[in-house]
Amino acid sequence: RDGTTVIQEKVNSNSYQLNNLKPGNYQITVTAQSGNTVSGAVSHSFQVTELHKITYDGRGGTNVPDTQEKVHGKDITLSGTVPLREGYRFLGWHHDASGLYGAYQPGGTWKTDSDTTLYAVWRSNDAVPASLQILSPAGKKTYIVGDALDTTGLKLLLVYSDGSGDLVTNGFETSGFSSEAEAEVTVTVTYQGFSTGYSVQVLDCIPGDIDLNLTVDKEDVMLLLWHISFPDMFPIDAPADFTGDGKVDKADVMQLLWHISFPDMFPLM
C-alpha cells in the first residue's frame, strides 16, 4: 500500500537484524506471542536510503575537503573548504579530470545521484588569455528570412596560456549575421579581443512547414497528404521532397510524421 513494504516477523530474541533491504519505505510489525496467545503487537515505519559519495581530488593542492555523503534524491551543499596550491589560483571543481574551468564552486548545490569524484581546476598565476573557443553552440541553428539572431545556449571558453579556461555565457559581441536572404551564415563571436565563430542556416521557410504558419505539426502532414491525393485542389508552396528522391509522395508524408515525433532521429532534407 502507498509504496510501503510491510514486514511481519516472529522474533525469538531481544535483538533482530534485517539485511539486504533495497532503498524504499518499510513498515515492520513485531508480535509478542506465548503459545497460541498473542499478548500484543507493535509497528514501526522506516525508510532505507541509498548514499552516494562525493570525493574531492585536489590535483596537487592541499586543504582538500573530506569526502561527503549524499542521500539519494536530496540535494547536498558542496564543502565550503577551498583548496590551496602555491603559484596557482583555484577556479572551482569539475566532474571531468581534464575539465578546464570551474563547473562547481565550494558551497554550491549538488544534485547528481551517483558516486562522483570532483577534480580541482587550477590556473597558474602567470597565465594570460590566449584564445576563444565555442564550448556549446547556440541552440537555434536554422533561421527563416527576417529572423533576428538568437544566442540562447551559447557557451564560450576563454582559454588561458596554461590550458585553463573561463566559462563565458554573456558579455560577448556578435557580428556577421544576416537573414536578408537564404544562405549559410557564419556568426562571429568576440570576447576580450578574441574571436571565434559558428555557422547557421537561413531558409525561405521552415522545413516541413507546409501551410507556412511558422510551425511544423500534424496539420502540415494532413495538408501534404491532401496535396498528394488532390494536387489541384490543395496546392502547396513549400518544398516537400523530404526523402530526396525527386518525388513528393506518401514516403514524404511518413518522413514528416516521424520528424514531428522524433525530430533529431528524422531530420528533414
Side-chain angles (χ1 to χ4, degrees), residues 210-221:
I210 305 300
D211 56 10
L212 302 178
N213 68 347
L214 301 182
T215 60
V216 179
D217 51 29
K218 290 184 179 180
E219 291 185 1
D220 296 297
V221 175

Side-chain angles (χ1 to χ4, degrees), residues 5 12 28 31 38 75 77 85 122-123 140 149 160 212 235 250 252 255:
T5 300
N12 298 314
I28 185 169
T31 302
V38 176
D75 296 349
T77 299
R85 185 181 177 187
W122 301 101
R123 173 170 300 149
K140 187 170 183 177
L149 179 64
Y160 281 66
L212 302 178
K250 290 185 178 180
D252 298 297
Q255 184 73 11

